[in-house]
Amino acid sequence: MGASADNGLKIVVVGGFGVGKTTMVRSVSEIRPLNTEETMTRAGETVDDISEVRGKTATTVAFDFGRITLDRRNVLYLFGAPGQERFWFLWDRLFSGTLGAVVLVDARRIEDSWYAIDRLERHGTPFIVACNDFGGPRHTHEEVRDALDLDPEVPLVDCDARSRESSKQVLITLVEHIQRHLGERTAPASSFRETV
């Protein structure tokens, strides 16, 4: 944090394997993000189901980290969680101290997001769902909401994780949701809109 910043706000981006978590953190971070990506090898094919992510050549093995300065006193820290089941044990640590979360969804593989939503609900962590655009068949928000069995209070938005503006809108939606969920103790969404 900068010398005058005294309020670090932690956000986690979670979801299934290959849904765009690293891409989202990269697209919106003001600093060069810390990535713990490793090259995918043939040995991993026996452990990770890569049938739906054929073009993927690297994968996160710990977490991604980015930062956004909201104003002189508030800094947003972004953590991207690894999506493979073998790394889910890291999630509890990443969720510790988290203000809220984005569940990134590939609408072609909605079932890959069930575990993330279940864990966040168990932790009592406010979250939103963002459907990342992979160019596949479009589903209505009602279809996605039904498939994920989402509470009506949970915001559902479309996004393109490659786009800074789109990722920014996702984070604004999350901050506004957190404000409604926790009250006005969080950083103002208006300052977030102006700085990202």
Side-chain angles (χ1 to χ4, degrees):
M1 286 193 296
S4 63
D6 57 5
N7 194 19
L9 310 169
K10 181 178 178 184
I11 300 293
V12 176
V13 182
V14 296
F17 179 46
V19 296
K21 299 175 298 292
T22 297
T23 302
M24 177 172 274
V25 172
R26 281 182 185 155
S27 73
V28 78
S29 178
E30 70 186 17
I31 62 169
R32 181 177 174 199
L34 166 69
N35 298 116
T36 57
E37 282 197 313
E38 293 295 331
T39 302
M40 295 175 62
T41 65
R42 284 177 118 31
E45 291 179 17
T46 62
V47 180
D48 300 320
D49 179 7
I50 63 165
S51 60
E52 297 292 332
V53 290
R54 288 281 179 208
K56 192 166 174 61
T57 59
T59 187
T60 301
V61 296
F63 61 87
D64 303 305
F65 174 77
R67 184 187 75 204
I68 301 169
T69 301
L70 300 178
D71 56 36
R72 289 183 348 162
R73 303 198 64 200
N74 296 292
V75 177
L76 183 70
Y77 296 114
L78 296 172
F79 290 84
Q84 299 98 306
E85 185 174 348
R86 62 189 162 122
F87 296 123
W88 286 351
F89 71 93
L90 297 169
W91 287 18
D92 286 331
R93 293 281 182 163
L94 285 175
F95 290 172
S96 178
T98 297
L99 192 59
V102 173
V103 177
L104 205 53
V105 173
D106 177 347
R108 301 168 302 175
R109 301 178 288 131
I110 288 177
E111 66 280 359
D112 290 354
S113 302
W114 291 338
Y115 182 76
I117 291 171
D118 181 60
R119 290 287 288 272
L120 290 166
E121 288 176 341
R122 286 185 188 185
H123 277 267
T125 304
F127 67 93
I128 68 164
V129 173
C131 292
N132 196 7
D133 182 9
F134 283 91
R138 286 284 197 195
H139 298 282
T140 67
H141 280 197
E142 291 76 22
E143 290 170 332
V144 174
R145 191 173 287 283
D146 287 346
L148 293 173
D149 193 26
L150 283 182
D151 185 288
E153 299 293 313
V154 175
L156 174 63
V157 297
D158 294 316
C159 75
D160 180 345
R162 300 166 299 182
S163 162
R164 178 177 175 82
E165 187 60 33
S166 182
S167 295
K168 171 185 163 181
Q169 291 304 316
V170 168
L171 295 176
I172 289 170
T173 301
L174 175 61
V175 169
E176 290 172 343
H177 178 60
I178 292 168
Q179 283 181 315
R180 286 189 300 274
H181 186 78
L182 300 177
E184 294 301 322
R185 297 176 303 176
T186 60
S190 59
S191 69
F192 184 76
R193 251 188 223 96
E194 295 161 7
T195 58
V196 177

